[in-house]
Amino acid sequence: VIATGKSYSLQDFVKEAFMYCGLDWREHVDQSPDFMRPTDIPISCANPEKAEQQLGWKARSDMLKVVKKMIDAAIFNS
């Protein structure tokens, strides 16, 4: 796992993706507690310090940039 040290919820990710497309995610996504897994952890955050020390690697993109790259790649490379 390579991490940024920042934590975002799936809802944050979905919200940013839809907003980048000019849409309100609440108008397009149905949430159901029936699909929530009891073993899912509510928050996950990893420390990137070891990757930086041992590999010289540091994240250059935040979550919003990743969302934009994914959407642009899906739209322009399909």
Side-chain angles (χ1 to χ4, degrees):
V1 172
I2 299 293
T4 62
K6 297 177 184 171
S7 182
Y8 299 96
S9 69
L10 178 58
Q11 183 173 320
D12 292 335
F13 187 90
V14 170
K15 178 182 172 186
E16 292 297 336
F18 276 83
M19 195 176 345
Y20 185 60
C21 296
L23 301 169
D24 182 343
W25 73 273
R26 293 168 292 196
E27 295 175 7
H28 302 277
V29 176
D30 292 325
Q31 288 180 295
S32 172
D34 295 336
F35 296 110
M36 300 299 286
R37 298 178 294 191
T39 57
D40 282 347
I41 56 174
I43 296 175
S44 176
C45 185
N47 184 344
E49 187 175 313
K50 189 173 182 179
E52 186 173 1
Q53 290 174 348
Q54 294 186 2
L55 304 172
W57 182 90
K58 189 171 182 169
R60 295 186 308 244
S61 297
D62 61 11
M63 188 261 298
L64 181 56
K65 285 182 186 175
V66 170
V67 167
K68 290 177 179 180
K69 286 179 182 183
M70 290 173 69
I71 292 170
D72 289 345
I75 291 171
F76 300 116
N77 295 330
S78 51

